[in-house]
Amino acid sequence: HNLLSIDDRFAYPNNYQALFPHAFLSMETVSSPLIQFFLPNRRPMDNVEWDMQSPQEDEFALFNMTCISPYMGWVFPKRRDFYDQFLTMREASSQDVERWRNALNLFLKKLTWKYSRPLILKSPPHTARIRLLLELFPDARFIHIHRNPYAIFQSTQHMFRVNLTLHRLQSYPEDDRNDWILRQYRAMYDAFFEQRPLIPDGRFYELSYEELEVDPVGEMRKIYSSLDLPEFEQIKPKLQAYSDSISGYRKNEHSPLPVNIKNQVAERWGPCFEEWKYAV
């Protein structure tokens, strides 16, 4: 997301806009610096540098506008099963789907009015919403990054732990967290594999996290070429400078997964291991 957002021929929702989707057109200039004063300079779950202008998931805007988001489960974990319907939207009522569509459309109209540039969006739950997104934006281009499922599970465990600590308003049994993660990820990718063929030729590009990590500029070149994005050489120096600036970043380190948990991940996320040829 950060790499794509370096290209100023595009625009993206930033932290402030995602947190205050109703008011950013009138209030951002005044209140963003004030909120920045209280914001930690690194994200709490992964130590990535950020500020109010950093790219942010549009899911947080939808969360704030409608409460129609699986992220609501971090606030009310006892109701997580109810909010999980909003991951794929398959079981959501027609009224909720329409509210979600209208909110996304309104948020993106505001951003388009502000920037008058094509928008870059990033939201993990969108992985499961290809059909809905194509109905709204039939000319959209999609980029999907896959990663070793074991690493995904460990990272998500940590992310859930941090987000539940920061945001939950209810008590929550920690021993249920693993099953919650396993269910969400499987539901997301069942929907993804079903809906991926709906994307027109030339509008979908898939890459591995591992390859992106090794050669971010080279992988970005492939993305620009495959999706017929604007001239790559114009943005290459900025991409290289950004890549060099974060060369010292170190990812979170996690303890090895217990054998029983590793077996559950391999069994329940089997289609992802098979699709991208990750060793079980």
Side-chain angles (χ1 to χ4, degrees):
H1 197 196
N2 288 358
L3 287 165
L4 285 166
S5 299
I6 287 171
D7 193 336
D8 57 13
R9 292 169 293 187
F10 303 123
Y12 55 86
N14 63 32
N15 250 327
Y16 184 91
Q17 294 157 358
L19 293 173
F20 301 97
H22 298 96
F24 71 86
L25 288 179
S26 58
M27 295 296 294
E28 183 172 7
T29 302
V30 176
S31 59
S32 182
L34 177 63
I35 294 172
Q36 179 65 53
F37 179 79
F38 295 99
L39 189 76
N41 60 7
R42 292 182 181 271
R43 295 195 308 207
M45 73 287 294
D46 57 14
N47 210 34
V48 170
E49 291 186 8
W50 71 340
D51 57 30
M52 277 288 101
Q53 300 306 308
S54 298
Q56 182 56 278
E57 296 176 21
D58 54 294
E59 187 70 21
F60 287 103
L62 298 171
F63 173 102
N64 285 312
M65 295 171 79
T66 67
C67 297
I68 299 174
S69 170
Y71 292 0
M72 284 293 294
W74 300 342
V75 183
F76 301 109
K78 289 182 179 179
R79 294 271 286 162
R80 62 193 178 281
D81 292 343
F82 172 79
Y83 291 113
D84 274 356
Q85 69 179 305
F86 303 132
L87 173 60
T88 68
M89 306 295 285
R90 284 169 159 174
E91 305 301 324
S93 69
S94 58
Q95 293 89 344
D96 283 337
V97 172
E98 191 62 20
R99 284 181 60 221
W100 181 89
R101 289 165 59 105
N102 290 341
L104 178 59
N105 209 21
L106 176 60
F107 182 58
L108 301 190
K109 282 182 177 180
K110 287 182 174 182
L111 291 170
T112 301
W113 183 86
K114 181 178 179 69
Y115 295 115
S116 298
R117 283 175 272 164
L119 298 175
I120 296 169
L121 306 179
K122 178 254 183 178
S123 173
H126 286 340
T127 308
R129 301 166 179 162
I130 293 172
R131 188 188 307 276
L132 277 173
L133 293 171
L134 283 172
E135 290 173 359
L136 285 168
F137 313 110
D139 295 328
R141 295 171 172 88
F142 294 81
I143 300 168
H144 176 253
I145 302 176
H146 60 82
R147 187 182 184 186
N148 188 300
Y150 292 133
I152 286 284
F153 184 84
Q154 290 173 304
S155 177
T156 307
Q157 274 188 317
H158 178 70
M159 184 266 291
F160 268 43
R161 188 179 302 113
V162 171
N163 282 331
L164 285 165
T165 299
L166 291 173
H167 303 303
R168 66 182 171 90
L169 298 178
Q170 296 174 330
S171 61
Y172 175 68
E174 288 197 17
D175 57 2
D176 188 50
R177 185 184 301 148
N178 288 347
D179 187 65
W180 187 6
I181 295 169
L182 289 166
R183 285 188 289 108
Q184 275 198 339
Y185 187 88
R186 181 59 189 264
M188 183 170 72
Y189 274 99
D190 282 349
F192 172 76
F193 291 135
E194 175 190 315
Q195 298 173 27
R196 181 175 55 179
L198 299 175
I199 303 173
D201 291 343
R203 296 193 175 274
F204 177 78
Y205 186 80
E206 188 170 75
L207 69 156
S208 77
Y209 174 87
E210 293 80 7
E211 291 171 340
L212 181 65
E213 189 176 33
V214 170
D215 183 14
V217 176
E219 289 301 311
M220 289 292 290
R221 181 189 295 276
K222 294 176 186 177
I223 290 172
Y224 272 63
S225 174
S226 297
L227 296 181
D228 194 26
L229 298 180
E231 173 58 40
F232 178 78
E233 292 302 320
Q234 183 174 330
I235 194 62
K236 181 182 175 182
K238 279 187 173 182
L239 286 171
Q240 188 63 61
Y242 175 72
S243 178
D244 292 344
S245 75
I246 60 171
S247 60
Y249 173 75
R250 295 293 178 265
K251 296 178 295 185
N252 290 325
E253 295 184 3
H254 306 290
S255 301
L257 287 172
V259 172
N260 65 317
I261 299 299
K262 192 172 182 180
N263 290 340
Q264 288 182 51
V265 174
E267 178 183 355
R268 296 176 68 173
W269 294 0
C272 295
F273 283 94
E274 295 171 10
E275 176 73 14
W276 298 298
K277 306 297 187 275
Y278 288 108
V280 175

